[in-house]
Amino acid sequence: MEGTTMRVADFVDPGQVAARGDATRPSPEPGEVIVAVAACGICGSDLHMFRNGAYRDQLVRATPEGYHVPGHEFAGTIAAVGAGVEGWAVGDRVVGVTGFGGGMADYVAVPVNPFQLVPVPDGVDMIEAATTEQLADGLQMVRKATIQPGENVAVFGVGIIGLSVIQAIRARGIETGHVIAIDVHQARLDAARAHGATAAVNARDGDVFDQVAAITGTEEGYQGISARIGAVFDCAGYIKHMPGLPPLETALRLIDLNGGRIVCFGGYEDRMTIDFGPVIQKQPTIMGSNGYAAEELVEALAMMAEGKVDRSALVSHRFPITQAPEAFAAQCAPEAIKVMLTMDRN
């Protein structure tokens, strides 16, 4: 690698990201490669951090200058190979996933293991490839939910993760009843319909239970009332400034009287208060989902290569790394789905 410095996005404080051009370029440790990043997405967890500092200790990687670099979902080419690394070479096109940020930079070190480094197939461009981790997350959530034939499904929060859940359901050929997207932003609801949702519910238009029940009908019993939803994917979590019930409480209202599943993925910005009574009454399974199986990274890329999913359509904005502040501002806007930082080197 030529030169000793690189460009990075620096998370300074909530609401403040700076573009730096003098960060120290990393060198590979044994068992690592250095990836020359082509594109890196702003994740929902990055946005939680940007709003109020949530998860900061898990989402940034410090440079020797003290810059705190976010970014854990990216694609690029291998620029250097560390000692003991086999099966990888300079120039290989790869998807990288890091546990503690660092991807919003010209170069980032990535450990060589199947959870963090996978090859990009021919025909998949770098922008698409940089969305691999989110699709793999969606594939794991769908696997965990064990959707039964004909079941109605609800997806709370249809940013890139919720949309990935919908794409995963369709790409795996799962036979569902309704797939209902729930959000407060119309642009995202429109995208959900375009990528496989059968109905869209805007939480700003009234009680979510009532809106969903108007689509699916209701069922009543000694356990209470449900909106005939077999599986709920909570990709919204808890956002402190959003009015109304936390999505998890609404999910408990929606879920079937028996055998319902709720998969929780969205980040929680703080503690929250909810009515937990339906957990006793309906006996649903509530499970967390954090990441993916290694084979789901490969499956996600294969789906892109085979044209089973359209990932590029989910990238609503692209900014060069030198405009990192503008990129984070754009990701906060209601029309944004996925904002991508690119490391154009021309």
Side-chain angles (χ1 to χ4, degrees):
M1 296 185 299
E2 296 180 0
T4 59
T5 61
M6 64 177 180
R7 302 167 299 172
V8 302
D10 174 23
F11 177 72
V12 181
D13 277 311
Q16 187 177 358
V17 169
R20 313 290 189 187
D22 60 345
T24 298
R25 187 178 298 189
S27 298
E29 298 291 333
E32 291 183 339
V33 298
I34 299 299
V35 174
V37 179
C40 180
I42 298 177
C43 179
S45 55
D46 295 324
L47 206 56
H48 285 295
M49 178 180 68
F50 183 69
R51 281 194 291 259
N52 61 19
Y55 307 110
R56 178 174 187 155
D57 59 341
Q58 303 171 39
L59 293 174
V60 297
R61 184 180 299 191
T63 72
E65 297 74 28
Y67 303 148
H68 288 178
V69 183
H72 54 271
E73 47 184 51
F74 50 89
T77 57
I78 293 178
V81 176
V85 171
E86 298 180 354
W88 298 96
V90 171
D92 286 350
R93 298 186 337 127
V94 295
V95 164
V97 184
T98 58
F100 290 90
M104 293 183 190
D106 282 317
Y107 298 93
V108 60
V110 183
V112 174
N113 64 65
F115 291 94
Q116 294 184 271
L117 193 72
V118 291
V120 176
D122 292 341
V124 178
D125 69 34
M126 288 301 186
I127 295 291
E128 292 177 290
T131 73
T132 300
E133 187 254 6
Q134 303 104 74
L135 182 53
D137 291 338
L139 289 165
Q140 168 161 288
M141 282 186 272
V142 170
R143 169 170 52 85
K144 287 190 167 191
T146 60
I147 301 167
Q148 301 303 301
E151 274 192 321
N152 297 319
V153 171
V155 182
F156 278 89
V158 284
I160 188 75
I161 296 294
L163 291 169
S164 295
V165 168
I166 294 168
Q167 286 191 335
I169 290 170
R170 297 311 186 197
R172 280 185 170 166
I174 298 170
E175 297 181 3
T176 65
H178 290 287
V179 175
I180 303 172
I182 304 167
D183 207 297
V184 297
H185 299 309
Q186 193 58 47
R188 295 181 179 184
L189 292 170
D190 293 342
R193 278 190 173 276
H195 291 275
T198 62
V201 166
N202 193 319
R204 298 188 192 277
D205 291 342
D207 184 81
V208 170
F209 181 94
D210 291 342
Q211 292 188 71
V212 173
I215 300 166
T216 60
T218 60
E219 181 181 11
E220 295 189 52
Y222 71 90
Q223 308 98 319
I225 185 170
S226 86
R228 299 180 182 272
I229 298 293
V232 175
F233 298 90
D234 180 5
C235 303
Y238 177 57
I239 300 172
K240 291 172 66 174
H241 69 268
M242 293 296 294
L245 298 176
L248 180 57
E249 181 167 341
T250 303
L252 290 168
R253 295 175 63 205
L254 294 172
I255 206 75
D256 278 346
L257 299 184
N258 291 288
R261 287 88 61 214
I262 301 172
V263 183
C264 298
F265 184 93
Y268 292 83
E269 292 185 353
D270 204 347
R271 297 180 179 183
M272 63 184 187
T273 300
I274 68 171
D275 177 4
F276 221 55
V279 173
I280 306 301
Q281 297 156 356
K282 297 181 178 180
Q283 304 181 79
T285 298
I286 303 174
M287 65 194 95
S289 187
N290 182 16
Y292 45 82
E295 58 267 26
E296 283 159 341
L297 282 177
V298 177
E299 182 183 1
L301 282 159
M303 286 177 171
M304 296 180 213
E306 294 164 11
K308 292 183 177 180
V309 293
D310 182 359
R311 301 298 287 173
S312 60
L314 305 185
V315 178
S316 56
H317 300 75
R318 305 180 188 193
F319 290 87
I321 186 66
T322 52
Q323 294 180 19
E326 292 85 349
F328 272 83
Q331 188 68 78
C332 292
E335 67 273 11
I337 297 176
K338 171 58 72 174
V339 175
M340 198 70 66
L341 284 166
T342 61
M343 317 309 164
D344 301 325
R345 296 180 174 86
N346 294 332

